[in-house]
Amino acid sequence: GKRIAVMTSGGDSPGMNSVVRAVVRQSIASGCTPFAVYEGYQGLVDGGDMIKEMAWEDVRGWTSEGGTLIGTARCMDFMNRAGRLTAANNMVEKGIDALIICGGDGSLTGADKFRAEWPSLMDELISSGKRTDDELKSFRHLNIVGLVGSIDNDLSSTDATIGCYSSLQRICQSIDFIDATAFSHQRAFVIEVMGRHCGWLALMAGVSCGADFVLIPENPPSENWEQEMCSIVKKHRKMGKRKTIVIVAEGAHDRKLNKITAVMVKDLLSQKVGLDTRVTTLGHVQRGGPPCAYDRMLATLQGVEAVKAVLEAKPDTESPVICIVENKIVRKPLLDAIAKTKEVAANIEKMDFEAAMRGRDAEFEE
Ligand code: F6P
């Protein structure tokens, strides 16, 4: 059977451990040998015990654990060819020629570059005398399969990234807690949520919690948003609302790309509406903690699919990324998915917000 490595990379997200568990166990069930790469790409470069063979019981109970138990890192060594050559040699050492990686778009792009470069890395191992032609006969191709782990839900081509629903759940719980104290004092709260350049967490939290106003990067508010927001908040107060909740995505900006911060919103609410206002930045509580049932399920089904994709790959197969589209687990070309994601960012930069919104909804159009 094949020798398959699984790795988590980039920011951790709830569900990553469920991925590792599913890959390890499905590999064993398929007659393959699974390995876990510890500390992301750094583990590939360091080799040795950082690339560890995994047994069935090594991942027992992992599906309910938050973060990533095999660690993750932003690795500088892997950025240069010398580091990648060492990584390739370490993989050959363990007999591994398939890598399943769970991470964000940056980590997945890196993985596909590694695949493209692999044959030339093998040539270099031979020409530098580290390995013989014979030794590398069965290592001519590296198999990469991507899984999207991120709380941001920022990858086009998939309806949900592994971790986004756990994070959304945590945000909603936090806003429920804040609601109680806001109600008591009739206060306003401005809540900053994560998501990098993506407004999904902010928008869905707004819908789920009944926020008064939401600010997201893809669909910035109108030119005179300050007055608009204040009059909406005033209207809600007149209707008898005792509390005000405004959600600001960390990547929020106006239509000219000037950053909109939680503090700016707070100043408006206190000075223009006269509300006693507090700012709460939720921070990394949105990222840690146990995965919700949906993320455990998504990660498990996608981990299983990733192993199947490895076993069905032909030497010239493009790297796939495992997605979920309209409730079905599907494989898509990794590079396409990343290109579409980059397009959204580019459209925001160009201030073409309509295109940016359409880009986020790509999965519904296909
Ligand atoms: O991508 C996940 C994320 O939590 C983003 O929402 C946020 O912008 C970023 O990572 C924070 O990064 P760091 O881990 O460096 O604080």
Side-chain angles (χ1 to χ4, degrees):
K2 276 181 95 66
R3 296 162 76 83
I4 303 171
V6 60
M7 177 172 107
T8 54
S9 175
D12 60 280
S13 73
M16 281 185 162
N17 295 314
S18 317
V19 165
V20 175
R21 171 178 171 274
V23 169
V24 165
R25 292 192 166 176
Q26 184 59 47
S27 297
I28 294 169
S30 308
C32 300
T33 310
F35 291 81
V37 179
Y38 282 73
E39 317 302 341
Y41 284 113
Q42 191 62 52
L44 275 189
V45 177
D46 293 348
D49 288 345
M50 303 286 273
I51 307 176
K52 190 174 156 277
E53 190 179 328
M54 300 292 273
W56 188 272
E57 59 276 11
D58 287 340
V59 290
R60 184 161 291 142
W62 280 29
T63 191
S64 55
E65 299 281 343
T68 167
L69 291 163
I70 60 173
T72 183
R74 292 185 175 120
C75 174
M76 294 318 281
D77 291 338
F78 200 77
M79 301 282 203
N80 50 58
R81 186 169 161 104
R84 293 193 295 276
L85 187 68
T86 309
N89 194 38
N90 288 333
M91 288 173 72
V92 169
E93 186 77 44
K94 306 262 175 180
I96 298 164
D97 64 351
L99 180 62
I100 296 174
I101 157 162
C102 181
D105 61 343
S107 308
L108 298 184
T109 309
D112 190 71
K113 282 209 182 107
F114 191 41
R115 175 202 57 82
E117 202 183 29
W118 184 264
S120 83
L121 292 171
M122 293 301 106
D123 290 343
E124 196 173 331
L125 288 178
I126 295 166
S127 64
S128 64
K130 282 210 178 76
R131 299 274 167 194
T132 65
D133 210 3
D134 234 30
E135 268 181 296
L136 298 187
K137 272 231 156 59
S138 58
F139 289 98
R140 296 317 298 184
H141 303 282
L142 171 66
N143 238 209
I144 294 283
V145 177
L147 294 165
V148 202
S150 170
I151 61 165
D152 302 336
N153 202 10
D154 57 350
L155 202 98
S156 300
S157 307
T158 192
D159 294 350
T161 57
I162 297 165
C164 74
Y165 279 104
S166 303
S167 183
L168 179 60
Q169 181 68 20
R170 189 104 355 99
I171 292 169
C172 289
Q173 278 170 345
S174 309
I175 294 178
D176 290 347
F177 293 161
I178 288 168
D179 265 351
T181 176
F183 180 95
S184 308
H185 290 262
Q186 301 190 49
R187 275 177 173 159
F189 275 81
V190 185
I191 299 173
E192 189 193 290
V193 305
M194 279 186 169
R196 212 177 286 264
H197 308 296
C198 185
W200 186 85
L201 283 173
L203 185 59
M204 294 308 152
V207 170
S208 310
C209 299
D212 294 74
F213 207 80
V214 180
L215 293 143
I216 61 168
E218 295 89 340
N219 188 23
S222 65
E223 302 278 346
N224 62 340
W225 68 272
E226 287 102 329
Q227 290 101 298
E228 196 192 327
M229 179 186 73
C230 292
S231 71
I232 287 173
V233 166
K234 276 186 203 150
K235 189 176 91 187
H236 290 169
R237 288 280 174 162
K238 273 209 192 93
M239 290 164 76
K241 216 172 169 181
R242 285 175 60 90
K243 61 177 168 71
T244 300
I245 301 284
V246 176
I247 301 178
V248 184
E250 65 175 340
H253 46 70
D254 65 17
R255 298 195 89 79
K256 293 190 176 115
L257 302 183
N258 300 308
K259 192 164 173 49
I260 298 176
T261 65
V263 172
M264 287 165 62
V265 175
K266 171 193 181 263
D267 290 344
L268 282 167
L269 292 176
S270 48
Q271 285 156 24
K272 298 268 161 31
V273 191
L275 294 171
D276 187 11
T277 309
R278 297 287 185 274
V279 169
T280 302
T281 302
L282 293 180
H284 290 73
V285 294
Q286 296 165 92
R287 212 160 89 189
C292 66
Y294 181 86
D295 281 327
R296 298 178 197 196
M297 178 201 75
L298 183 65
T300 303
L301 297 180
Q302 292 194 334
V304 167
E305 183 67 14
V307 174
K308 286 189 186 160
V310 164
L311 295 178
E312 287 167 20
K314 310 243 164 22
D316 52 356
T317 317
E318 286 181 273
S319 302
V321 58
I322 313 297
C323 299
I324 182 158
V325 179
E326 292 181 351
N327 233 11
K328 290 194 177 51
I329 307 291
V330 293
R331 296 175 206 169
K332 291 196 174 187
L334 175 59
L335 290 183
D336 278 10
I338 288 166
K340 274 193 191 137
T341 305
K342 292 229 162 89
E343 232 175 78
V344 176
N347 281 326
I348 292 178
E349 278 301 305
K350 279 192 286 183
M351 300 190 232
D352 187 347
F353 303 116
E354 263 180 42
M357 285 295 280
R358 258 186 278 120
R360 289 283 188 232
D361 276 338
E363 62 266 32
F364 300 117
E365 286 172 358
E366 276 165 19

